[in-house]
Amino acid sequence: MNIVKFNGKNILYCYIDGVCWLAVKPICEALGVNYNRQFQQLKQHRLLGPVFAIQQMQVPGDQSRKMVCLPEEFIYGWLFGIYSNSEKLINYQIECHHVLYNHFHGAITRRSKLYSELSNER
């Protein structure tokens, strides 16, 4: 059984053909959002609908269960796009904003400075 802790909950994951798949339901439970609603929205989402899959996951007690999963590369964007009043989710989304800002901070000003320098050379 593969698990990772997130917000104090066990999130199940598995690797299939080199892709890490994470179970959606435990993530919803960890963030206090409605799983059934999120599953319906996933099915209808133009980007995420085609990439989610039902994967066989090992669960406690030597059992396996089919679970709705997303590849890890899509999990973070999916979570960032959920609308909910869940405090846990909102805190996660604030953290996402900080991570994105720290990653991209200065990209616009560096580009602007470069354009300015290039136009001054002409």
Side-chain angles (χ1 to χ4, degrees):
M1 176 173 58
N2 296 317
I3 60 168
V4 63
K5 288 278 190 191
F6 177 69
N7 273 359
K9 301 285 185 182
N10 292 335
I11 307 302
L12 300 170
Y13 69 93
C14 64
Y15 283 95
I16 299 173
D17 297 327
V19 175
C20 179
W21 292 87
L22 289 104
V24 170
K25 187 173 184 176
I27 295 171
C28 290
E29 291 169 350
L31 291 170
V33 296
N34 183 290
Y35 165 73
N36 291 327
R37 181 175 182 190
Q38 292 311 312
F39 176 57
Q40 294 305 316
Q41 290 179 347
L42 269 178
K43 289 194 304 188
Q44 297 171 1
H45 196 280
R46 287 182 66 191
L47 172 67
L48 301 175
V51 298
F52 88 85
I54 308 297
Q55 302 290 5
Q56 198 76 22
M57 293 281 191
Q58 188 68 33
V59 297
D62 288 332
Q63 298 178 19
S64 63
R65 187 171 294 146
K66 292 182 179 183
M67 302 187 88
V68 173
C69 298
L70 278 171
E72 182 184 15
E73 71 178 297
F74 292 95
I75 286 286
Y76 311 109
W78 163 62
L79 292 173
F80 197 59
I82 294 174
Y83 178 80
S84 171
N85 289 326
S86 163
E87 282 296 317
K88 291 178 182 178
L89 177 65
I90 291 168
N91 290 335
Y92 173 83
Q93 290 173 333
I94 288 169
E95 184 178 342
C96 285
H97 278 284
H98 292 300
V99 169
L100 286 170
Y101 173 79
N102 288 330
H103 179 79
F104 289 109
H105 175 66
I108 293 171
T109 55
R110 283 191 302 270
R111 193 172 298 138
S112 176
K113 182 180 176 186
L114 177 63
Y115 290 149
S116 177
E117 289 171 0
L118 288 173
S119 66
N120 287 339
E121 291 178 3
R122 292 182 185 170

